[in-house]
Amino acid sequence: MAKSKSVYFCQNCGAESAKWIGRCPACNEWNTYVEQVVSKTKTSTQVSFTEEKQLPQKIFDIKSEKKGRISTGINELDRILGGGLVYGSLILIGGEPGIGKSTLALQVALKLNQHKVLYISGEESPQQIKLRAERLKLNNENCFILSETLLENIYTHVINIKPDIIIVDSIQTLYTDKLESSAGTVSQIKETAASLLKYAKETGTPVFLIGHINKEGNLAGPKVLEHVVDTVLQFEGDHNNMYRILRTTKNRFGSTSELGMFEMNNNGLVEVADPSQVLITQTNENLSGTTIASTINGVRPLLLEIQALVSSAAYGTPQRSSTGFDNRRLGMLLAVLEKRAGFRLGQKDVFLNVAGGIKIDDPASDLAVIASVLSSNLDIPIDKTVCFAGEVGLTGEIRPANRIEQRIGEANKLGFKKIYISGYNSKGVDMSKYKIQIVKVAKVEELFRSLFKKN
Ligand code: TYD
Ligand code: MG
């Protein structure tokens, strides 16, 4: 006889409680608990997918299987996975609706034409997927499309087809009839993901899961999903912009600071081999308020264009708003300029934008931000062949940036003539091997003098 009981789950983090609570003690979110009926039959232990019974083994006796990795046919994806797909790995691709998750997954499915791929979709019909495939102009004889959401039915097909790779679009549409709650609830996501993990590990089949993102930008469903999978790939980008960034936020088989860049065009996602080149506007005109920051995104150097607009506040309270850059950090940098360098920005509106719809999270972009603000405030352009890499401290000092050689190297490669770095950054850097002129500044005032006070 099936026993059923009611449990409350936090829809944000997946925490469980026997009774309803207003505020989740685990993630502090309000009003996120939802009642779910969980019925568990005594015989609900998961089926095994292989004949062998697992027994404890001595690590000494375990043979490390050097099976290598499977190339996905997309170089950028292989690179951020740490060199291709690992057998038996569970990979989660997260991102906002419409960002290109299904497109990427289908591209992988169709490019892997040496392998049997099963693409399971709970969101689109086979006809819709076919239309997309035609748009991508790719074909794979060994790619099977299945429109199904019940996990048990999926396994029946999986056992028949024995695919080499499985893609599930999306984990939120799957459900198992072992649980009474509806698809997309925390308990269903937990259970179906755990079952697919077991399948992946036992059979050595790589499984891709596509996951939706909620309003706050977190993966919808429980945090446990992120714990269960081996690799989390996060798709980022602006809908109005064609560039998309794929970032690893977790990777058991590679580095977590990898980043790949794609461009969404009419035939799907195309890799961008040299991101810095495309992110910088290729005009010869010098415009005030625009500077280039030499940033490191993950482990990758990336030159980004930062635009600032400083104007007299039209209404009482000045506005400070930024896109792609932390608003509080902008506030801090403006306060430093005001207090340490005497710029009166208190009554000015300041808008900041990182071009290309990219978000930066690199303190060394501070120097470019303040240079942009100063340039817009004075309405004096900064030459397009100049770039910046340095962090600004509260006392107005320019602090050294990490991986400075990589930053200088990238700017040098792209033909920049001058880079401003921190005066404290010199140790161990062999400046002589670069053509680019390196200017060291130790204080905000020094930067100002060097940029705008021509003798
Ligand atoms: P999609 O992969 O369906 O997004 P997700 O699965 O993350 O929700 O991407 C859909 C968007 O991509 C849609 O707005 C149309 C656009 N698109 C192109 O611009 N070019 C293409 O070749 C394809 C297939 C989609
Ligand atoms: Mg989709």
Side-chain angles (χ1 to χ4, degrees):
M1 202 23 224
K3 264 201 253 169
S4 64
K5 61 170 186 165
S6 231
V7 183
Y8 293 83
F9 283 104
C10 169
Q11 299 298 301
N12 187 52
C13 71
E16 219 178 292
S17 159
K19 57 180 198 316
W20 189 83
I21 22 185
R23 189 182 195 185
C24 174
C27 67
N28 292 332
E29 282 295 315
W30 287 95
N31 212 5
T32 51
Y33 274 77
V34 171
E35 181 181 10
Q36 279 164 30
V37 183
V38 185
S39 99
K40 281 219 167 98
T41 45
K42 278 255 162 82
T43 52
S44 81
T45 44
Q46 287 180 357
V47 281
S48 187
F49 301 101
T50 47
E51 314 285 274
E52 305 153 31
K53 271 247 167 67
Q54 285 290 330
L55 294 170
Q57 305 172 53
K58 284 186 183 162
I59 190 162
F60 186 78
D61 299 333
I62 302 173
K63 289 189 189 71
S64 69
E65 283 180 64
K66 284 233 172 63
K67 270 166 110 183
R69 295 183 182 227
I70 308 169
S71 164
T72 59
I74 303 175
N75 289 338
E76 285 285 275
L77 184 60
D78 282 351
R79 197 174 51 75
I80 63 173
L81 285 171
L85 271 177
V86 172
Y87 287 91
S89 60
L90 191 61
I91 300 147
L92 179 65
I93 306 178
E96 286 175 23
I99 198 99
K101 302 179 296 295
S102 306
T103 307
L104 180 73
L106 189 63
Q107 254 173 281
V108 171
L110 298 177
K111 284 217 168 171
L112 281 166
N113 49 15
Q114 305 296 318
H115 303 267
K116 209 191 274 179
V117 185
L118 178 62
Y119 186 102
I120 303 156
S121 180
E123 306 209 331
E124 289 160 305
S125 68
Q127 288 73 26
Q128 284 171 317
I129 298 170
K130 175 76 187 174
L131 278 178
R132 194 192 293 256
E134 281 170 359
R135 197 169 170 189
L136 297 175
K137 297 197 175 64
L138 290 170
N139 218 337
N140 176 2
E141 260 180 48
N142 294 318
C143 177
F144 293 81
I145 306 289
L146 173 65
S147 200
E148 176 63 79
T149 50
L150 179 62
L151 192 69
E152 283 72 16
N153 288 352
I154 289 174
Y155 281 134
T156 322
H157 298 296
V158 163
I159 287 161
N160 281 337
I161 297 178
K162 293 196 182 59
D164 300 324
I165 288 140
I166 299 179
I167 297 172
V168 178
D169 187 6
S170 67
I171 185 73
Q172 275 93 356
T173 59
L174 285 200
Y175 73 104
T176 160
D177 57 13
K178 275 193 281 175
L179 301 177
E180 275 172 24
S181 47
S182 51
T185 53
V186 171
S187 41
Q188 286 285 5
I189 293 176
K190 256 171 145 176
E191 187 71 25
T192 47
S195 168
L196 286 167
L197 174 78
K198 192 169 154 66
Y199 177 81
K201 298 289 167 219
E202 285 186 8
T203 60
T205 316
V207 179
F208 279 99
L209 301 179
I210 291 179
H212 293 289
I213 262 185
N214 59 17
K215 304 193 282 301
E216 291 81 38
N218 300 320
L219 276 160
K223 271 259 172 275
V224 280
L225 192 54
E226 286 176 48
H227 296 302
V228 167
V229 299
D230 297 306
T231 306
V232 180
L233 303 180
Q234 193 92 19
F235 234 133
E236 291 168 11
D238 188 352
H239 288 277
N240 305 321
N241 212 300
M242 57 191 182
Y243 297 113
R244 304 278 186 271
I245 281 186
L246 194 61
R247 204 189 279 280
T248 32
T249 55
K250 167 180 180 179
N251 195 357
R252 289 195 178 131
F253 312 112
S255 149
T256 49
S257 31
E258 286 293 355
L259 172 140
M261 197 160 156
F262 295 90
E263 186 183 327
M264 178 66 99
N265 66 19
N266 279 337
N267 309 319
L269 291 156
V270 183
E271 305 163 46
V272 177
D274 201 349
S276 296
Q277 204 118 39
V278 297
L279 287 171
I280 299 169
T281 343
Q282 308 289 341
T283 58
N284 295 324
E285 211 180 337
N286 283 331
L287 303 166
S288 72
T290 303
T291 55
I292 311 290
S294 184
T295 68
I296 296 276
N297 232 311
V299 288
R300 243 184 139 171
L302 200 60
L303 289 173
L304 292 174
E305 188 172 308
I306 301 206
Q307 304 167 335
L309 181 68
V310 180
S311 66
S312 298
Y315 308 101
T317 359
Q319 293 187 55
R320 271 81 215 273
S321 136
S322 54
T323 321
F325 189 79
D326 184 27
N327 229 350
R328 273 171 304 173
R329 191 149 189 107
L330 173 64
M332 185 279 269
L333 293 175
L334 295 177
V336 169
L337 284 179
E338 181 113 25
K339 178 100 181 166
R340 307 285 173 203
F343 292 99
R344 308 223 166 277
L345 297 164
Q347 286 311 308
K348 301 274 175 85
D349 284 340
V350 179
F351 304 98
L352 195 78
N353 179 36
V354 181
I358 311 263
K359 286 193 196 80
I360 34 177
D361 172 26
D362 177 5
S365 51
D366 290 353
L367 204 55
V369 171
I370 59 167
S372 276
V373 169
L374 292 175
S375 154
S376 174
N377 190 36
L378 298 166
D379 203 15
I380 302 177
I382 292 173
D383 204 89
K384 288 225 96 170
T385 57
V386 176
C387 65
F388 301 86
E391 184 181 340
V392 175
L394 287 180
T395 59
E397 86 279 18
I398 315 289
R399 301 161 60 91
N402 61 349
R403 299 174 182 265
I404 193 69
E405 290 213 39
Q406 251 177 300
R407 296 174 197 262
I408 299 173
E410 181 79 359
N412 187 47
K413 194 179 90 191
L414 287 169
F416 279 80
K417 298 221 171 74
K418 202 191 261 186
I419 181 167
Y420 282 88
I421 66 166
S422 160
Y424 310 104
N425 233 153
S426 54
K427 282 182 222 104
V429 184
D430 177 13
M431 308 285 182
S432 57
K433 64 179 180 200
Y434 303 110
K435 247 173 64 194
I436 190 168
Q437 183 195 350
I438 298 165
V439 185
K440 289 189 205 150
V441 280
K443 290 230 152 252
V444 172
E445 302 91 300
E446 256 179 67
L447 173 78
F448 174 71
R449 255 180 276 127
S450 165
L451 282 173
F452 304 108
K453 293 226 166 119
K454 298 274 144 42
N455 301 324

